[in-house]
């Protein structure tokens, strides 16, 4: 089992920044990637960013590329999502997720087996 705890959400004005954190615990050795997804009211949960647990590979949704940065601290078993130039359309509950298998897609929520409880991000205009 892998446990994930997010933190860092909040209310920010458009153009502002927030940094989300996701602390992982449990069977970390089985994790191959950590990702961030978000879900706005009335919409499906969508991919935001992901990072391989080993190596420097990162992946982003087109809607956030250039504004968001995912990074990890393996010593702390933590992954971060630095969000800059926030827009009202970034408002959503943000979820951290862990993927165990190397197969499957980093972009699909169906390929992640563990999820955090979510943290609310609200961007006012």
């Amino acid at each position: 089992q892998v446990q994930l705890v997010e933190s860092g959400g909040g209310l920010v004005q458009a153009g502002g920044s927030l940094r989300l954190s996701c602390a992982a615990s449990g069977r970390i050795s089985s994790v191959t990637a950590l990702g961030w997804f978000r879900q706005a009211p009335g919409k499906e949960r969508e991919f935001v960013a992901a990072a391989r647990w080993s190596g420097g590979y990162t992946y982003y949704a087109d809607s956030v590329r250039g504004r968001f940065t995912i990074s990890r601290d393996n010593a702390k078993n933590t992954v971060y999502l630095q969000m800059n130039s926030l827009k009202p359309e970034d408002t959503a509950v943000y979820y951290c997720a862990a993927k165990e298998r190397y197969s499957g897609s980093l972009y699909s929520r169906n390929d992640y087996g563990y999820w955090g409880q979510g943290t609310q991000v609200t961007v006012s205009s």
Side-chain angles (χ1 to χ4, degrees):
Q1 293 288 327
V2 177
Q3 293 78 43
L4 303 169
V5 178
E6 303 103 332
S7 60
L11 172 65
V12 64
Q13 288 188 333
S17 299
L18 281 175
R19 188 176 82 155
L20 306 183
S21 300
C22 173
S25 60
R27 201 174 62 185
I28 305 299
S29 60
S30 69
V31 174
T32 60
L34 286 174
W36 288 96
F37 289 74
R38 66 186 182 187
Q39 188 166 18
K43 294 187 177 181
E44 293 191 352
R45 192 170 299 188
E46 64 175 5
F47 171 80
V48 176
R52 290 290 186 189
W53 196 241
S54 61
Y57 300 104
T58 57
Y59 309 82
Y60 296 94
D62 289 342
S63 58
V64 306
R65 186 175 290 111
R67 300 188 296 123
F68 291 10
T69 302
I70 188 170
S71 62
R72 72 192 193 287
D73 184 335
N74 288 24
K76 296 182 179 180
N77 292 332
T78 299
V79 66
Y80 304 96
L81 185 67
Q82 178 66 43
M83 306 185 294
N84 298 329
S85 302
L86 282 161
K87 304 175 182 180
E89 51 263 43
D90 294 318
T91 295
V93 177
Y94 283 70
Y95 296 91
C96 178
K99 185 178 187 296
E100 291 186 299
R101 297 180 300 148
Y102 280 105
S103 61
S105 172
L106 283 168
Y107 301 91
S108 171
R109 64 181 186 269
N110 296 325
D111 286 322
Y112 289 78
Y114 301 98
W115 293 85
Q117 81 287 356
T119 185
Q120 177 71 47
V121 171
T122 302
V123 184
S124 63
S125 57

